[in-house]
Amino acid sequence: MMETKMIEGIKTVIPHIESAIHQISGGPVAWERFTSRAQGGVGGFPQTLENALFNSLSHHSGVKGLWLCGDTIFSGAGTIGASVSGYHVFQSITEHKYTI
């Protein structure tokens, strides 16, 4: 089974991976079903001229106290983009301005 093969490979780097609290394995069909991402897509909106950079969604929702972050909010897709969007929210809601 593919799942077993993948876990055995991961164990070469993370020996105690099987002690994880919760694990769900799946492919694009499962990802689509549980996340409502079309065709199992990952990474938010496609980065086109129409929805990138200055036309992207802001972390400011327009509703007091409601902030947005994740891979569909500026600054883009992936772990780094989602993390940076959270950092933008942090900067906006705190009085302290930190630098990375």
Side-chain angles (χ1 to χ4, degrees):
M1 180 178 209
M2 182 60 76
E3 176 181 4
T4 303
K5 189 173 184 177
M6 290 174 66
I7 291 173
E8 290 303 314
I10 293 168
K11 283 169 65 175
T12 63
V13 179
I14 309 171
H16 304 292
I17 189 71
E18 291 176 308
S19 65
I21 295 171
H22 188 69
Q23 171 187 320
I24 298 175
S25 300
V29 174
W31 184 257
E32 179 177 25
R33 177 178 173 208
F34 291 109
T35 65
S36 299
R37 298 277 182 135
Q39 298 178 342
V42 176
F45 297 119
Q47 293 300 303
T48 64
L49 291 175
E50 290 79 32
N51 63 3
L53 196 54
F54 298 113
N55 291 324
S56 64
L57 295 176
S58 171
H59 63 281
H60 297 277
S61 71
V63 177
K64 185 177 180 178
L66 178 63
W67 301 90
L68 306 172
C69 64
D71 65 0
T72 56
I73 307 301
F74 181 79
S75 67
T79 304
I80 294 172
S83 300
V84 171
S85 76
Y87 181 75
H88 286 297
V89 170
F90 168 78
Q91 289 286 350
S92 293
I93 64 176
T94 62
E95 292 180 25
H96 305 286
K97 297 296 180 182
Y98 299 94
T99 57
I100 298 177

